[in-house]
Amino acid sequence: MLFPGVLAVVPLLLTSVHAQSSYSAAPSSSAGSGSVAGNAGGGDANGKYQISAEGIRANFIPYGASISNLFINDTHGIERDIVLGFDNATYYSIDRQHPYLGGVPGRYANRIKNSSFEIDGTAYNVLPNDNNNNDTLHGGPNGWDWRNWTVVAHTTSSITFSLVDPDGSQGFPGEVISYVTYSLAPYQWNLKMVALATTKKTPIMLTSHTYWNLDGFQNPSTPTALNHSLYLPYSGQRIGTDGILIPNGTVLPNQPGSVNDFWSAPKQIGANFSAPEALGNCGTGCTGYDTCFLVNREQDGPYDWCEKGPVATLGSPFSGIQPRKAPPHWEKNKLTCSLALKNTQGFFNDTSNHPRVVEKYGCVVMEVEDWIDAINQPEWQRSKRNIFGPGDDPYVLQASYNFSVNKTLAAMYHG
């Protein structure tokens, strides 16, 4: 689902994000300390479950296993809620137009060409829900982020959700059992997503569909995220797509100085919007980004993704918040709008000049995932990261967002 002014970029806050798709045991739900009594009772008065650590706190809801609030102090010591969401958990199911708001798309994130694929010579057709039903987006019309997950563990600093997706759901083969654990450490948000195919081979690719505005929509100079700076030091390539953002099998260069060059040096997201090549960069008639930036760190040899440099750094010159992200192989981003602001965001005393809505280019989505629609591009040779069956290692996606405050960046902005 795309909305007017969609930008696919990787903005976060003063954060460093590390991510990888690995294969290991199911996640432990014991992260953090101190169990929370009554964790099966529906959360707080707004249906939200809070976890916290030094310098960071967040709220989550069972619907879509979604993050609904993320609070970080900026360079002025002001707490900002830097992700989109709704004030009450019940709104997510009522407003069926919500654009995968902070949830976990599944069982296969992003688009599937012609809503079809083959596994071992058998053709499968899944339910379409995108581009006039010409493809399937984020798992179909009843994908995982449209469902209520079960809270299986909740401590003061972590929460784990589970979901059982039955054989045939949305047309996908086989049962899949999934666990998603979110945990907080000092100035850090970690996520781990595990999915196990129990009965048949099936495509699996998950992500966190979080919308970011590092100013909490409280920058008096602009309601957008176009002033956020973005740096993707390992992303000299991207996946080529057609006019409806379906991969066409090509891998394209992000030439130095071009619209898609965020690797040679940091630059503001909106820096090249007036360039002719920006039109159509996110699909037919669209100016902006909805791009699968590939991450290439092979030339560095073996590395520990938790320790070595992040693959993405986003910074806001207003708040000083800036994130870094480091998945080893992939990354996808998008920016969208057309939502009301939460009570924890925006301005309340000047709604004529600062409407309480997310305006065009007001936020950014970063999706950590494998190469999009790789199940229909066998020449990419990524089947072991996209197809899973009984007896295989589980699908595992991990990411770490490390938050800090860039006082130099903020000082340049504020003079």
Side-chain angles (χ1 to χ4, degrees):
M1 180 184 299
L2 296 180
F3 291 78
V6 170
L7 272 175
V9 178
V10 188
L12 277 167
L13 346 170
L14 238 139
T15 311
S16 65
V17 183
H18 300 271
Q20 82 171 11
S21 187
S22 61
Y23 308 94
S24 62
S28 169
S29 60
S30 61
S33 59
S35 62
V36 177
N39 60 17
D44 64 14
N46 288 312
K48 299 184 178 185
Y49 296 77
Q50 184 172 108
I51 61 177
S52 62
E54 181 184 354
I56 185 171
R57 63 187 180 98
N59 294 331
F60 299 88
I61 62 169
Y63 192 83
S66 304
I67 185 170
S68 62
N69 306 81
L70 182 61
F71 299 95
I72 300 287
N73 285 353
D74 70 4
T75 187
H76 312 291
I78 299 173
E79 188 178 65
R80 311 278 184 187
D81 183 359
I82 57 174
V83 303
L84 263 66
F86 290 125
D87 288 314
N88 191 285
T90 60
Y91 299 168
Y92 288 77
S93 59
I94 295 172
D95 185 352
R96 296 292 291 179
Q97 294 300 310
H98 84 77
Y100 310 97
L101 196 58
V104 179
R107 72 175 68 173
Y108 195 81
N110 218 273
R111 291 177 175 82
I112 300 175
K113 182 179 181 179
N114 296 327
S115 301
S116 64
F117 54 87
E118 288 190 5
I119 298 178
D120 295 339
T122 299
Y124 295 93
N125 295 291
V126 293
L127 296 180
N129 64 327
D130 188 44
N131 291 313
N132 296 316
N133 287 334
N134 284 310
D135 63 87
T136 295
L137 177 62
H138 292 325
N142 191 30
W144 289 8
D145 61 327
W146 298 92
R147 304 187 206 173
N148 278 304
W149 293 54
T150 299
V151 178
V152 296
H154 180 208
T155 75
T156 55
S157 59
S158 75
I159 187 167
T160 297
F161 298 96
S162 71
L163 180 75
V164 178
D165 196 28
D167 182 15
S169 176
Q170 306 299 288
F172 288 97
E175 178 191 71
V176 174
I177 300 174
S178 184
Y179 298 89
V180 171
T181 296
Y182 302 111
S183 62
L184 299 181
Y187 306 98
Q188 184 179 81
W189 175 33
N190 302 297
L191 62 85
K192 185 175 185 179
M193 302 180 182
V194 175
L196 304 95
T198 60
T199 59
K200 300 176 184 177
K201 286 186 177 181
T202 189
I204 301 175
M205 183 163 70
L206 307 180
T207 190
S208 173
H209 206 279
T210 304
Y211 290 75
W212 303 85
N213 181 298
L214 305 184
D215 298 332
F217 301 96
Q218 293 169 333
N219 183 342
S221 299
T222 178
T224 78
L226 296 180
N227 68 327
H228 289 20
S229 64
L230 178 65
Y231 184 38
L232 309 175
Y234 304 101
S235 294
Q237 295 173 309
R238 69 189 188 278
I239 288 179
T241 61
D242 63 16
I244 59 172
L245 301 176
I246 302 297
N248 57 22
T250 63
V251 175
L252 303 176
N254 299 326
Q255 298 288 357
S258 68
V259 164
N260 291 297
D261 172 23
F262 290 95
W263 64 269
S264 65
K267 72 175 180 182
Q268 289 190 335
I269 294 172
N272 297 127
F273 266 43
S274 61
E277 63 178 305
L279 178 62
N281 193 54
C282 49
T284 300
C286 176
T287 296
Y289 301 92
D290 197 338
T291 308
C292 183
F293 292 99
L294 302 180
V295 174
N296 181 6
R297 299 202 293 193
E298 278 74 8
Q299 66 178 348
D300 291 342
Y303 59 87
D304 182 339
W305 70 273
C306 292
E307 300 296 334
K308 296 191 71 171
V311 297
T313 299
L314 180 75
S316 163
F318 171 75
S319 67
I321 297 175
Q322 138 190 323
R324 301 173 187 164
K325 166 181 169 68
H329 301 293
W330 55 91
E331 156 171 358
K332 167 86 170 61
N333 323 289
K334 175 172 25 182
L335 168 97
T336 187
C337 51
S338 304
L339 295 170
L341 293 177
K342 291 176 291 186
N343 289 333
T344 51
Q345 296 174 322
F347 298 93
F348 292 89
N349 57 359
D350 188 12
T351 55
S352 60
N353 292 318
H354 301 287
R356 292 200 49 75
V357 296
V358 182
E359 299 187 30
K360 186 176 182 179
Y361 301 133
C363 53
V364 178
V365 174
M366 179 184 65
E367 301 172 33
V368 183
E369 59 200 16
D370 202 66
W371 296 26
I372 57 176
D373 197 34
I375 54 175
N376 283 312
Q377 306 292 341
E379 68 277 13
W380 290 347
Q381 299 179 308
R382 303 194 70 79
S383 61
K384 291 183 178 180
R385 292 186 175 274
N386 286 261
I387 305 296
F388 300 84
D392 292 342
D393 288 333
Y395 169 94
V396 180
L397 174 70
Q398 294 177 265
S400 178
Y401 300 81
N402 299 301
F403 296 89
S404 56
V405 173
N406 189 330
K407 294 184 178 181
T408 301
L409 185 65
M412 294 173 60
Y413 175 85
H414 294 284

